[in-house]
Amino acid sequence: TALGTVDASNVSYNEGGVGAVNTSVQSKLQESISVLDFGADPTGATDSTVAINAGVGALPAGGTLLFPVGTYSISSPIIFDGKNATVSAYGANFTLVVKGTITNFTVLGGSITGDNNAARPDSSTAQIGWLIGDAAGATINNVTIRDVKVSQANVGFKASYGTVGIAGIIAYNVRFIN
C-alpha cells in the first residue's frame, strides 16, 4: 500500500504470543513517543520546550517519552501534571523541570550538566538539575529516578518546594537509584 493511503488507526496489530490481544498499529506506536516526532532538536541549538510539551500531551497514561541521544535545550517547565509516565533518556543531556502533581513517574537515564554556580532563587536554572513537582500544594508520589548522571550541579535533584505562607509539596515514595 502506498504511504499515507491507510490510517494507522485502521490497521490491526497482534504481538502473536499466547493470549495476545488485537490493537491498532496507531495505539501500539503511541505506547512510546519520541520527542523527535514533535520537532525537538537533539543538537541543543534551538529550544525544544514546545516540542517536548507537545510529546507529553500526546502521551497516553502509562506511556514512555523517549529522548534519543543528544542535548536538548529546555527553557521552561515540562508539564506532566497528573500523567503516569516514564521518561527514557539514556544518552540525552538536559535540565528537566517537571511541574504539577506527579504520580507513578519514572526517569531512566540521562545526563544533567549544570552551570556550576551558587544556588539562586530561580528554581529553573541549570544548577538545580532536575526539579520534580514545582507547584504549591502538589503531590509527588511513586517517583523513581534511575541511572541519571549529574555534573557541575550544586543541587542534583529537588523533590519538594514550598513558599512561606503557602502549602508546599507533599513527596513520598521517591527513589533515587544509581
Side-chain angles (χ1 to χ4, degrees):
T1 304
L3 183 64
T5 59
V6 177
D7 188 276
S9 65
N10 294 322
V11 179
S12 294
Y13 171 81
N14 186 300
E15 188 275 329
V18 175
V21 297
N22 289 334
T23 188
S24 72
V25 168
Q26 180 178 2
S27 293
K28 182 63 179 170
L29 291 173
Q30 289 177 340
E31 288 175 5
S32 64
I33 293 177
S34 170
V35 297
L36 299 182
D37 294 338
F38 292 86
D41 175 14
T43 70
T46 59
D47 187 353
S48 292
T49 305
V50 171
I52 294 166
N53 274 320
V56 171
L59 193 64
T64 299
L65 186 67
L66 302 172
F67 282 82
V69 172
T71 297
Y72 298 88
S73 175
I74 301 172
S75 62
S76 61
I78 305 303
I79 310 300
F80 278 92
D81 197 10
K83 194 170 267 209
N84 303 352
T86 297
V87 173
S88 181
Y90 289 101
N93 183 12
F94 55 90
T95 296
L96 180 63
V97 178
V98 179
K99 282 199 164 192
T101 296
I102 310 301
T103 302
N104 299 326
F105 186 73
T106 302
V107 178
L108 302 172
S111 176
I112 300 159
T113 304
D115 60 11
N116 210 21
N117 288 329
R120 291 179 240 154
D122 176 1
S123 62
S124 66
T125 54
Q127 89 278 359
I128 294 298
W130 293 42
L131 173 65
I132 305 295
D134 181 19
T139 300
I140 301 170
N141 179 22
N142 294 327
V143 173
T144 300
I145 311 294
R146 177 183 292 252
D147 301 332
V148 176
K149 177 184 176 187
V150 179
S151 62
Q152 297 179 14
N154 291 322
V155 180
F157 302 94
K158 182 176 180 183
S160 64
Y161 181 84
T163 303
V164 175
I166 298 175
I169 286 179
I170 299 169
Y172 54 98
N173 295 332
V174 177
R175 295 167 296 281
F176 299 99
I177 304 167
N178 294 337

